[in-house]
Each structure stands twice: as structure tokens, then as C-alpha cells.
Amino acid sequence: DAPPISMAGELPGPDPRHGPGHPLTPENAAAARAGGLDQAEFLALAETLSSLIALIEGDKLTYVNPAGCALLGRKPAELVGRDFWEFVHPEDREVAMARGRARQAGVPQPKRLTERLVHSDGHAVWMDYSIDLIRIAGRTAVLVTGHDVTERRRMEEELRRSEERLRGLRTQAPVVLMA
């Protein structure tokens, strides 16, 4: 048997018994809850999710799933091996770098955050992230899962501007006195 991913996040080296397309079935999902998934099963799952899934070791991206690649308009080869902050919006980059370095140094950091990434065409993509430390083949890595919240942010900003206009109209509207 291949060593499993522990519930604490231990991800061992590759399992030669399974190819990258090994499906996650209800049977092996139950086994995962009981004893963990092997690396091939983890990757098979990550490859099918519609959320961004990325692994970072040190400052370098070591894995980005197809959904993450599509979200950023890039191929895996354009992402893997590069510093993660290259894809963070310039206005958020310094804070992201400091947070990443602090996490590497063992300083607790928020596990959930929202920040912008940059698509290959230059537009900002707002992301809601969860960030966890895991072990992969004996090495510590950062597991990032994220959802695109760009449209939600746009709608929230539109609502805020609309409410400001409404407040402005109320303060400027003539007062009608009733006798």
C-alpha cells in the first residue's frame, strides 16, 4: 500500500500504482477519510476541481491545477517554477510577500484572505483564499485553494455607490411640510 495523505496534511511522494487519472470514487473517498489519500489521488481530485488549487514551496509555485491556469489565462509551464508573487496584483504584492515569508518563518498568518491576482491580459482577478501548510514528500508546502470573487466585489462596489447616491439625494431633496 502507498503511504496516505494524513488528515494533518501529510502528502507523500508519488504512488507508482496509479496514473494521474486515477479516479476518486466513493470507495476510495471513504478510505481517504479513514486513512488518507495517496498523492496520485490528491492530484486526480485537484485536477477536477473548479477552484484554484496551488502548491507553493518556498516562494515558488510547484503545482497549479487546470482551473487555476484558466483563471489566470496561463499554461502550467508559465506558472510552475516562478515566484508566486509575480501573479499577485502590484498593489497587493508587498503584503503578500511579507505574509509568505512570515509563514515560512513559522509566524502564524491568516488562513483566509482576499486579494487580487493578475490575469495574463492584465485585468485584476479578486480571489478568496484558504491557505494551509502541508507536508509533501517530506517537504513543507503551502496549499492554496481559492475562488474567483471578482463579480461579487464588482456588485458590492456598485451597491455601495448606489447607496451613496441615494444618501446624497435624501440630503438634497426639498423638505415637504404638511399642515
Side-chain angles (χ1 to χ4, degrees):
D1 280 342
I5 299 171
S6 74
M7 300 313 276
E10 179 72 23
L11 182 61
D15 178 0
R17 296 173 305 149
H18 306 298
H22 185 70
L24 182 65
T25 65
E27 293 77 27
N28 61 21
R33 285 190 297 277
L37 286 172
D38 66 33
Q39 184 171 359
E41 291 167 330
F42 169 80
L43 292 174
L45 177 62
E47 295 281 310
T48 63
L49 294 175
S50 61
S51 301
L52 174 142
I53 306 291
L55 294 174
I56 301 168
E57 292 184 46
D59 294 331
K60 304 289 184 192
L61 287 162
T62 58
Y63 172 79
V64 180
N65 73 339
C69 291
L71 187 71
L72 296 173
R74 296 180 185 274
K75 295 178 180 165
E78 297 174 81
L79 297 165
V80 173
R82 295 187 49 196
D83 293 327
F84 76 88
W85 64 71
E86 291 181 45
F87 306 101
V88 175
H89 191 278
E91 293 176 21
D92 299 339
R93 192 169 292 152
E94 192 172 311
V95 170
M97 289 170 64
R99 191 176 49 244
R101 297 257 163 79
R103 185 175 286 109
Q104 289 174 29
V107 177
Q109 296 296 304
K111 291 178 102 24
R112 183 103 188 254
L113 60 110
T114 302
E115 70 183 8
R116 294 167 289 183
L117 297 178
V118 180
H119 189 276
S120 64
D121 69 8
H123 79 268
V125 180
W126 280 97
M127 295 296 298
D128 180 20
Y129 293 119
S130 292
I131 300 173
D132 294 286
L133 288 176
I134 63 171
R135 298 280 298 160
I136 300 175
R139 298 183 316 269
T140 300
V142 176
L143 171 64
V144 179
T145 58
H147 303 280
D148 181 352
V149 293
T150 306
E151 182 63 15
R152 184 187 80 196
R153 296 282 300 215
R154 186 194 65 74
M155 291 173 63
E156 288 170 350
E157 180 59 24
E158 192 175 298
L159 179 60
R160 186 191 62 74
R161 284 194 300 260
S162 177
E163 288 171 342
E164 283 178 5
R165 283 193 302 273
L166 182 59
R167 277 192 292 278
L169 287 173
R170 282 194 308 208
T171 60
Q172 296 172 10
V175 177
V176 177
L177 296 175
M178 305 289 282

